[in-house]
Amino acid sequence: MTDRLQLHVRNLEVMVLTGIYSEETHLPQPLRISVTVDLDMPSQFGPDSPLSESKNYLDLKHAATAALPPNVHFRLVEAVAEHICETLFLQDKRVARVEVEIVKLAIAEAGESIGITLARNRR
C-alpha cells in the first residue's frame, strides 16, 4: 500500500461563466471552490526535504482559478470540477485522486451551502 499526502486549498471565491438558466448564461457567477489532492509519496519527509518531494499548493489554486478558461461557458458546475481535475492530473503524474467541491453562492438565500462534490481517481 502506498502512502499518500493530502493537500488542500479551500474556499476560493471564483467568478465562472456557468449555468443553464437564461439569467445565468450572460455573466459569470460566484462559486466557492475547494480542492483536495491525494499525492503518491515515494519517501518520508525530513527536515531538509525539497519542495519537489511534495507539490506546490499554488498549483491547486491555479487549477481552480487561472486555469479555468475565461470565455468558456460551462453549462454545469460538474464540468467546472472536471476541468479542475483534468488540469491537476496533467500537471503531475503523482496526483492519484482529486476531489473538487463547488458551492453556488448566487443561489444561497439563508447561508446554506448548495453545490456538488466530484471525486476522480487517476485512470
Side-chain angles (χ1 to χ4, degrees), residues 80-121:
V80 176
E82 288 280 5
H83 190 279
I84 294 168
C85 290
E86 287 305 312
T87 299
L88 289 164
F89 285 134
L90 289 171
Q91 276 181 358
D92 193 327
K93 66 181 180 180
R94 298 171 303 161
V95 172
R97 181 178 181 275
V98 180
E99 183 174 297
V100 179
E101 179 181 307
I102 298 178
V103 175
K104 293 183 77 171
L105 298 173
I107 62 174
E109 295 176 348
E112 68 268 278
S113 180
I114 300 170
I116 62 111
T117 300
L118 177 74
R120 286 278 186 234
N121 294 298

mmCIF file of all heavy atoms in Angstrom, residues 80-121:
data_model
loop_
_atom_site.group_PDB
_atom_site.id
_atom_site.type_symbol
_atom_site.label_atom_id
_atom_site.label_comp_id
_atom_site.label_asym_id
_atom_site.label_seq_id
_atom_site.Cartn_x
_atom_site.Cartn_y
_atom_site.Cartn_z
ATOM 1 N N VAL A 80 -17.072 22.240 -14.578
ATOM 2 C CA VAL A 80 -16.012 23.057 -13.976
ATOM 3 C C VAL A 80 -15.122 22.147 -13.129
ATOM 4 O O VAL A 80 -13.886 22.191 -13.225
ATOM 5 C CB VAL A 80 -16.600 24.198 -13.112
ATOM 6 C CG1 VAL A 80 -15.493 24.971 -12.410
ATOM 7 C CG2 VAL A 80 -17.461 25.125 -13.956
ATOM 8 N N ALA A 81 -15.746 21.303 -12.314
ATOM 9 C CA ALA A 81 -14.988 20.380 -11.464
ATOM 10 C C ALA A 81 -14.154 19.412 -12.307
ATOM 11 O O ALA A 81 -12.993 19.137 -11.981
ATOM 12 C CB ALA A 81 -15.939 19.613 -10.549
ATOM 13 N N GLU A 82 -14.720 18.904 -13.398
ATOM 14 C CA GLU A 82 -13.980 18.007 -14.305
ATOM 15 C C GLU A 82 -12.741 18.698 -14.864
ATOM 16 O O GLU A 82 -11.662 18.101 -14.941
ATOM 17 C CB GLU A 82 -14.863 17.550 -15.470
ATOM 18 C CG GLU A 82 -15.926 16.561 -15.108
ATOM 19 C CD GLU A 82 -15.429 15.130 -14.980
ATOM 20 O OE1 GLU A 82 -14.211 14.862 -15.083
ATOM 21 O OE2 GLU A 82 -16.286 14.263 -14.741
ATOM 22 N N HIS A 83 -12.898 19.963 -15.261
ATOM 23 C CA HIS A 83 -11.778 20.713 -15.827
ATOM 24 C C HIS A 83 -10.656 20.849 -14.798
ATOM 25 O O HIS A 83 -9.476 20.689 -15.122
ATOM 26 C CB HIS A 83 -12.250 22.089 -16.304
ATOM 27 C CG HIS A 83 -11.222 22.820 -17.099
ATOM 28 N ND1 HIS A 83 -10.199 23.520 -16.502
ATOM 29 C CD2 HIS A 83 -11.048 22.955 -18.431
ATOM 30 C CE1 HIS A 83 -9.443 24.060 -17.444
ATOM 31 N NE2 HIS A 83 -9.932 23.725 -18.616
ATOM 32 N N ILE A 84 -11.022 21.132 -13.557
ATOM 33 C CA ILE A 84 -10.022 21.266 -12.489
ATOM 34 C C ILE A 84 -9.304 19.936 -12.271
ATOM 35 O O ILE A 84 -8.068 19.890 -12.175
ATOM 36 C CB ILE A 84 -10.690 21.767 -11.199
ATOM 37 C CG1 ILE A 84 -11.202 23.198 -11.406
ATOM 38 C CG2 ILE A 84 -9.725 21.688 -10.013
ATOM 39 C CD1 ILE A 84 -12.134 23.693 -10.307
ATOM 40 N N CYS A 85 -10.057 18.836 -12.222
ATOM 41 C CA CYS A 85 -9.449 17.513 -12.051
ATOM 42 C C CYS A 85 -8.455 17.214 -13.169
ATOM 43 O O CYS A 85 -7.311 16.803 -12.913
ATOM 44 C CB CYS A 85 -10.520 16.422 -12.019
ATOM 45 S SG CYS A 85 -11.551 16.412 -10.549
ATOM 46 N N GLU A 86 -8.877 17.406 -14.401
ATOM 47 C CA GLU A 86 -8.012 17.099 -15.539
ATOM 48 C C GLU A 86 -6.748 17.957 -15.533
ATOM 49 O O GLU A 86 -5.664 17.475 -15.857
ATOM 50 C CB GLU A 86 -8.771 17.258 -16.859
ATOM 51 C CG GLU A 86 -9.769 16.155 -17.103
ATOM 52 C CD GLU A 86 -9.144 14.764 -17.045
ATOM 53 O OE1 GLU A 86 -8.092 14.539 -17.672
ATOM 54 O OE2 GLU A 86 -9.712 13.902 -16.353
ATOM 55 N N THR A 87 -6.893 19.222 -15.169
ATOM 56 C CA THR A 87 -5.734 20.108 -15.084
ATOM 57 C C THR A 87 -4.716 19.556 -14.092
ATOM 58 O O THR A 87 -3.514 19.503 -14.372
ATOM 59 C CB THR A 87 -6.162 21.529 -14.675
ATOM 60 O OG1 THR A 87 -7.050 22.050 -15.666
ATOM 61 C CG2 THR A 87 -4.970 22.455 -14.528
ATOM 62 N N LEU A 88 -5.190 19.127 -12.934
ATOM 63 C CA LEU A 88 -4.279 18.612 -11.905
ATOM 64 C C LEU A 88 -3.659 17.279 -12.292
ATOM 65 O O LEU A 88 -2.479 17.033 -12.028
ATOM 66 C CB LEU A 88 -5.010 18.528 -10.565
ATOM 67 C CG LEU A 88 -5.302 19.906 -9.964
ATOM 68 C CD1 LEU A 88 -6.352 19.814 -8.872
ATOM 69 C CD2 LEU A 88 -4.030 20.550 -9.444
ATOM 70 N N PHE A 89 -4.423 16.410 -12.947
ATOM 71 C CA PHE A 89 -3.857 15.139 -13.412
ATOM 72 C C PHE A 89 -2.767 15.379 -14.459
ATOM 73 O O PHE A 89 -1.752 14.686 -14.474
ATOM 74 C CB PHE A 89 -4.942 14.221 -13.978
ATOM 75 C CG PHE A 89 -5.810 13.574 -12.936
ATOM 76 C CD1 PHE A 89 -7.182 13.551 -13.090
ATOM 77 C CD2 PHE A 89 -5.263 12.965 -11.811
ATOM 78 C CE1 PHE A 89 -7.998 12.939 -12.136
ATOM 79 C CE2 PHE A 89 -6.064 12.357 -10.850
ATOM 80 C CZ PHE A 89 -7.435 12.348 -11.015
ATOM 81 N N LEU A 90 -2.990 16.353 -15.334
ATOM 82 C CA LEU A 90 -1.997 16.650 -16.370
ATOM 83 C C LEU A 90 -0.746 17.308 -15.792
ATOM 84 O O LEU A 90 0.349 17.130 -16.320
ATOM 85 C CB LEU A 90 -2.604 17.553 -17.448
ATOM 86 C CG LEU A 90 -3.625 16.891 -18.358
ATOM 87 C CD1 LEU A 90 -4.308 17.930 -19.245
ATOM 88 C CD2 LEU A 90 -2.974 15.806 -19.209
ATOM 89 N N GLN A 91 -0.898 18.071 -14.709
ATOM 90 C CA GLN A 91 0.233 18.776 -14.104
ATOM 91 C C GLN A 91 1.265 17.842 -13.501
ATOM 92 O O GLN A 91 2.461 18.122 -13.522
ATOM 93 C CB GLN A 91 -0.246 19.678 -12.952
ATOM 94 C CG GLN A 91 -0.755 21.009 -13.311
ATOM 95 C CD GLN A 91 -1.161 21.773 -12.052
ATOM 96 O OE1 GLN A 91 -1.083 21.280 -10.921
ATOM 97 N NE2 GLN A 91 -1.605 22.983 -12.254
ATOM 98 N N ASP A 92 0.796 16.751 -12.891
ATOM 99 C CA ASP A 92 1.701 15.959 -12.058
ATOM 100 C C ASP A 92 1.247 14.503 -12.042
ATOM 101 O O ASP A 92 0.137 14.204 -11.607
ATOM 102 C CB ASP A 92 1.681 16.541 -10.639
ATOM 103 C CG ASP A 92 2.792 16.020 -9.756
ATOM 104 O OD1 ASP A 92 3.200 14.842 -9.913
ATOM 105 O OD2 ASP A 92 3.252 16.779 -8.884
ATOM 106 N N LYS A 93 2.108 13.607 -12.489
ATOM 107 C CA LYS A 93 1.751 12.185 -12.552
ATOM 108 C C LYS A 93 1.599 11.554 -11.178
ATOM 109 O O LYS A 93 1.048 10.457 -11.048
ATOM 110 C CB LYS A 93 2.773 11.419 -13.373
ATOM 111 C CG LYS A 93 4.145 11.378 -12.745
ATOM 112 C CD LYS A 93 5.133 10.631 -13.595
ATOM 113 C CE LYS A 93 6.481 10.661 -12.872
ATOM 114 N NZ LYS A 93 7.515 10.001 -13.558
ATOM 115 N N ARG A 94 2.065 12.235 -10.118
ATOM 116 C CA ARG A 94 1.915 11.695 -8.764
ATOM 117 C C ARG A 94 0.523 11.938 -8.188
ATOM 118 O O ARG A 94 0.171 11.361 -7.164
ATOM 119 C CB ARG A 94 2.958 12.310 -7.833
ATOM 120 C CG ARG A 94 4.392 11.997 -8.247
ATOM 121 C CD ARG A 94 5.371 12.790 -7.435
ATOM 122 N NE ARG A 94 5.077 14.212 -7.590
ATOM 123 C CZ ARG A 94 5.491 15.175 -6.762
ATOM 124 N NH1 ARG A 94 6.207 14.869 -5.707
ATOM 125 N NH2 ARG A 94 5.189 16.434 -6.987
ATOM 126 N N VAL A 95 -0.278 12.782 -8.838
ATOM 127 C CA VAL A 95 -1.641 13.035 -8.361
ATOM 128 C C VAL A 95 -2.474 11.786 -8.605
ATOM 129 O O VAL A 95 -2.695 11.387 -9.743
ATOM 130 C CB VAL A 95 -2.264 14.265 -9.058
ATOM 131 C CG1 VAL A 95 -3.732 14.406 -8.697
ATOM 132 C CG2 VAL A 95 -1.493 15.530 -8.693
ATOM 133 N N ALA A 96 -2.912 11.152 -7.516
ATOM 134 C CA ALA A 96 -3.660 9.899 -7.611
ATOM 135 C C ALA A 96 -5.165 10.127 -7.570
ATOM 136 O O ALA A 96 -5.928 9.354 -8.143
ATOM 137 C CB ALA A 96 -3.256 8.974 -6.467
ATOM 138 N N ARG A 97 -5.589 11.182 -6.895
ATOM 139 C CA ARG A 97 -7.022 11.443 -6.716
ATOM 140 C C ARG A 97 -7.222 12.933 -6.525
ATOM 141 O O ARG A 97 -6.408 13.598 -5.895
ATOM 142 C CB ARG A 97 -7.529 10.700 -5.484
ATOM 143 C CG ARG A 97 -9.001 10.867 -5.195
ATOM 144 C CD ARG A 97 -9.397 10.029 -3.961
ATOM 145 N NE ARG A 97 -10.807 10.153 -3.661
ATOM 146 C CZ ARG A 97 -11.333 11.130 -2.920
ATOM 147 N NH1 ARG A 97 -10.570 12.057 -2.397
ATOM 148 N NH2 ARG A 97 -12.633 11.166 -2.700
ATOM 149 N N VAL A 98 -8.311 13.439 -7.083
ATOM 150 C CA VAL A 98 -8.683 14.846 -6.911
ATOM 151 C C VAL A 98 -10.133 14.902 -6.471
ATOM 152 O O VAL A 98 -10.985 14.197 -7.024
ATOM 153 C CB VAL A 98 -8.519 15.658 -8.225
ATOM 154 C CG1 VAL A 98 -8.923 17.105 -8.014
ATOM 155 C CG2 VAL A 98 -7.095 15.565 -8.754
ATOM 156 N N GLU A 99 -10.397 15.733 -5.480
ATOM 157 C CA GLU A 99 -11.769 15.990 -5.047
ATOM 158 C C GLU A 99 -12.006 17.483 -5.143
ATOM 159 O O GLU A 99 -11.215 18.283 -4.642
ATOM 160 C CB GLU A 99 -11.971 15.505 -3.610
ATOM 161 C CG GLU A 99 -13.397 15.674 -3.135
ATOM 162 C CD GLU A 99 -13.623 15.068 -1.766
ATOM 163 O OE1 GLU A 99 -13.465 13.832 -1.629
ATOM 164 O OE2 GLU A 99 -13.929 15.825 -0.846
ATOM 165 N N VAL A 100 -13.083 17.863 -5.820
ATOM 166 C CA VAL A 100 -13.435 19.271 -6.010
ATOM 167 C C VAL A 100 -14.830 19.495 -5.445
ATOM 168 O O VAL A 100 -15.775 18.799 -5.818
ATOM 169 C CB VAL A 100 -13.406 19.673 -7.506
ATOM 170 C CG1 VAL A 100 -13.797 21.126 -7.685
ATOM 171 C CG2 VAL A 100 -12.033 19.396 -8.109
ATOM 172 N N GLU A 101 -14.937 20.455 -4.563
ATOM 173 C CA GLU A 101 -16.237 20.852 -4.024
ATOM 174 C C GLU A 101 -16.546 22.247 -4.562
ATOM 175 O O GLU A 101 -15.698 23.145 -4.495
ATOM 176 C CB GLU A 101 -16.209 20.891 -2.498
ATOM 177 C CG GLU A 101 -17.524 21.333 -1.895
ATOM 178 C CD GLU A 101 -17.470 21.392 -0.380
ATOM 179 O OE1 GLU A 101 -17.082 20.388 0.236
ATOM 180 O OE2 GLU A 101 -17.820 22.454 0.169
ATOM 181 N N ILE A 102 -17.760 22.410 -5.098
ATOM 182 C CA ILE A 102 -18.179 23.702 -5.638
ATOM 183 C C ILE A 102 -19.513 24.087 -5.007
ATOM 184 O O ILE A 102 -20.470 23.306 -5.033
ATOM 185 C CB ILE A 102 -18.320 23.660 -7.176
ATOM 186 C CG1 ILE A 102 -16.964 23.337 -7.814
ATOM 187 C CG2 ILE A 102 -18.866 24.999 -7.694
ATOM 188 C CD1 ILE A 102 -16.995 23.227 -9.320
ATOM 189 N N VAL A 103 -19.552 25.286 -4.462
ATOM 190 C CA VAL A 103 -20.766 25.842 -3.884
ATOM 191 C C VAL A 103 -21.181 27.028 -4.752
ATOM 192 O O VAL A 103 -20.367 27.899 -5.055
ATOM 193 C CB VAL A 103 -20.529 26.299 -2.425
ATOM 194 C CG1 VAL A 103 -21.758 26.991 -1.869
ATOM 195 C CG2 VAL A 103 -20.123 25.115 -1.561
ATOM 196 N N LYS A 104 -22.464 27.025 -5.154
ATOM 197 C CA LYS A 104 -23.002 28.126 -5.962
ATOM 198 C C LYS A 104 -23.492 29.222 -5.004
ATOM 199 O O LYS A 104 -24.538 29.101 -4.393
ATOM 200 C CB LYS A 104 -24.131 27.626 -6.853
ATOM 201 C CG LYS A 104 -23.642 26.663 -7.934
ATOM 202 C CD LYS A 104 -24.756 26.244 -8.854
ATOM 203 C CE LYS A 104 -25.039 27.371 -9.819
ATOM 204 N NZ LYS A 104 -25.953 26.993 -10.898
ATOM 205 N N LEU A 105 -22.716 30.266 -4.882
ATOM 206 C CA LEU A 105 -23.014 31.320 -3.919
ATOM 207 C C LEU A 105 -24.237 32.146 -4.296
ATOM 208 O O LEU A 105 -24.951 32.635 -3.424
ATOM 209 C CB LEU A 105 -21.795 32.226 -3.745
ATOM 210 C CG LEU A 105 -20.553 31.537 -3.187
ATOM 211 C CD1 LEU A 105 -19.361 32.475 -3.219
ATOM 212 C CD2 LEU A 105 -20.813 31.021 -1.785
ATOM 213 N N ALA A 106 -24.505 32.284 -5.585
ATOM 214 C CA ALA A 106 -25.588 33.160 -6.032
ATOM 215 C C ALA A 106 -26.969 32.622 -5.692
ATOM 216 O O ALA A 106 -27.932 33.398 -5.646
ATOM 217 C CB ALA A 106 -25.482 33.411 -7.536
ATOM 218 N N ILE A 107 -27.097 31.335 -5.434
ATOM 219 C CA ILE A 107 -28.436 30.798 -5.164
ATOM 220 C C ILE A 107 -28.702 30.566 -3.677
ATOM 221 O O ILE A 107 -29.787 30.144 -3.309
ATOM 222 C CB ILE A 107 -28.710 29.508 -5.965
ATOM 223 C CG1 ILE A 107 -27.741 28.397 -5.580
ATOM 224 C CG2 ILE A 107 -28.657 29.783 -7.459
ATOM 225 C CD1 ILE A 107 -28.066 27.050 -6.227
ATOM 226 N N ALA A 108 -27.725 30.850 -2.842
ATOM 227 C CA ALA A 108 -27.931 30.702 -1.397
ATOM 228 C C ALA A 108 -28.810 31.838 -0.898
ATOM 229 O O ALA A 108 -28.623 32.995 -1.268
ATOM 230 C CB ALA A 108 -26.588 30.720 -0.670
ATOM 231 N N GLU A 109 -29.787 31.499 -0.079
ATOM 232 C CA GLU A 109 -30.712 32.514 0.434
ATOM 233 C C GLU A 109 -30.564 32.744 1.930
ATOM 234 O O GLU A 109 -30.812 33.827 2.417
ATOM 235 C CB GLU A 109 -32.150 32.096 0.128
ATOM 236 C CG GLU A 109 -32.446 32.069 -1.358
ATOM 237 C CD GLU A 109 -33.842 31.571 -1.659
ATOM 238 O OE1 GLU A 109 -34.507 31.034 -0.755
ATOM 239 O OE2 GLU A 109 -34.267 31.720 -2.812
ATOM 240 N N ALA A 110 -30.190 31.720 2.657
ATOM 241 C CA ALA A 110 -30.111 31.857 4.113
ATOM 242 C C ALA A 110 -28.799 31.286 4.640
ATOM 243 O O ALA A 110 -28.758 30.655 5.681
ATOM 244 C CB ALA A 110 -31.303 31.164 4.765
ATOM 245 N N GLY A 111 -27.739 31.475 3.876
ATOM 246 C CA GLY A 111 -26.440 30.988 4.308
ATOM 247 C C GLY A 111 -26.201 29.508 4.073
ATOM 248 O O GLY A 111 -25.186 28.969 4.504
ATOM 249 N N GLU A 112 -27.147 28.831 3.380
ATOM 250 C CA GLU A 112 -26.935 27.416 3.123
ATOM 251 C C GLU A 112 -25.845 27.225 2.076
ATOM 252 O O GLU A 112 -25.474 28.151 1.382
ATOM 253 C CB GLU A 112 -28.234 26.720 2.696
ATOM 254 C CG GLU A 112 -28.777 27.133 1.340
ATOM 255 C CD GLU A 112 -29.769 28.266 1.395
ATOM 256 O OE1 GLU A 112 -30.941 28.023 1.679
ATOM 257 O OE2 GLU A 112 -29.357 29.402 1.136
ATOM 258 N N SER A 113 -25.364 26.002 1.983
ATOM 259 C CA SER A 113 -24.312 25.656 1.050
ATOM 260 C C SER A 113 -24.901 24.702 0.015
ATOM 261 O O SER A 113 -25.206 23.556 0.327
ATOM 262 C CB SER A 113 -23.166 24.997 1.818
ATOM 263 O OG SER A 113 -22.127 24.635 0.965
ATOM 264 N N ILE A 114 -25.087 25.190 -1.222
ATOM 265 C CA ILE A 114 -25.717 24.409 -2.285
ATOM 266 C C ILE A 114 -24.681 24.170 -3.378
ATOM 267 O O ILE A 114 -24.135 25.129 -3.931
ATOM 268 C CB ILE A 114 -26.941 25.151 -2.864
ATOM 269 C CG1 ILE A 114 -27.975 25.385 -1.769
ATOM 270 C CG2 ILE A 114 -27.529 24.377 -4.032
ATOM 271 C CD1 ILE A 114 -29.101 26.305 -2.169
ATOM 272 N N GLY A 115 -24.404 22.904 -3.671
ATOM 273 C CA GLY A 115 -23.409 22.638 -4.689
ATOM 274 C C GLY A 115 -23.139 21.162 -4.872
ATOM 275 O O GLY A 115 -23.989 20.316 -4.593
ATOM 276 N N ILE A 116 -21.926 20.859 -5.330
ATOM 277 C CA ILE A 116 -21.545 19.475 -5.671
ATOM 278 C C ILE A 116 -20.166 19.156 -5.129
ATOM 279 O O ILE A 116 -19.364 20.058 -4.866
ATOM 280 C CB ILE A 116 -21.564 19.235 -7.199
ATOM 281 C CG1 ILE A 116 -20.558 20.134 -7.934
ATOM 282 C CG2 ILE A 116 -22.937 19.439 -7.782
ATOM 283 C CD1 ILE A 116 -19.404 19.416 -8.512
ATOM 284 N N THR A 117 -19.892 17.876 -5.013
ATOM 285 C CA THR A 117 -18.526 17.375 -4.772
ATOM 286 C C THR A 117 -18.268 16.294 -5.810
ATOM 287 O O THR A 117 -19.067 15.367 -5.953
ATOM 288 C CB THR A 117 -18.380 16.803 -3.360
ATOM 289 O OG1 THR A 117 -18.665 17.823 -2.400
ATOM 290 C CG2 THR A 117 -16.958 16.289 -3.131
ATOM 291 N N LEU A 118 -17.180 16.441 -6.538
ATOM 292 C CA LEU A 118 -16.791 15.463 -7.543
ATOM 293 C C LEU A 118 -15.426 14.908 -7.153
ATOM 294 O O LEU A 118 -14.496 15.669 -6.891
ATOM 295 C CB LEU A 118 -16.697 16.120 -8.927
ATOM 296 C CG LEU A 118 -16.227 15.242 -10.075
ATOM 297 C CD1 LEU A 118 -17.338 14.276 -10.480
ATOM 298 C CD2 LEU A 118 -15.805 16.067 -11.263
ATOM 299 N N ALA A 119 -15.309 13.594 -7.095
ATOM 300 C CA ALA A 119 -14.039 12.937 -6.792
ATOM 301 C C ALA A 119 -13.647 12.066 -7.971
ATOM 302 O O ALA A 119 -14.449 11.278 -8.466
ATOM 303 C CB ALA A 119 -14.154 12.094 -5.525
ATOM 304 N N ARG A 120 -12.405 12.228 -8.426
ATOM 305 C CA ARG A 120 -11.891 11.450 -9.549
ATOM 306 C C ARG A 120 -10.578 10.801 -9.148
ATOM 307 O O ARG A 120 -9.721 11.447 -8.552
ATOM 308 C CB ARG A 120 -11.626 12.342 -10.770
ATOM 309 C CG ARG A 120 -12.862 12.786 -11.481
ATOM 310 C CD ARG A 120 -13.341 11.697 -12.415
ATOM 311 N NE ARG A 120 -14.446 12.183 -13.188
ATOM 312 C CZ ARG A 120 -15.615 11.571 -13.260
ATOM 313 N NH1 ARG A 120 -15.816 10.453 -12.612
ATOM 314 N NH2 ARG A 120 -16.583 12.067 -13.985
ATOM 315 N N ASN A 121 -10.440 9.524 -9.500
ATOM 316 C CA ASN A 121 -9.176 8.807 -9.335
ATOM 317 C C ASN A 121 -8.469 8.757 -10.668
ATOM 318 O O ASN A 121 -9.129 8.667 -11.713
ATOM 319 C CB ASN A 121 -9.438 7.381 -8.842
ATOM 320 C CG ASN A 121 -10.013 7.359 -7.452
ATOM 321 O OD1 ASN A 121 -9.383 7.810 -6.516
ATOM 322 N ND2 ASN A 121 -11.233 6.861 -7.318
#
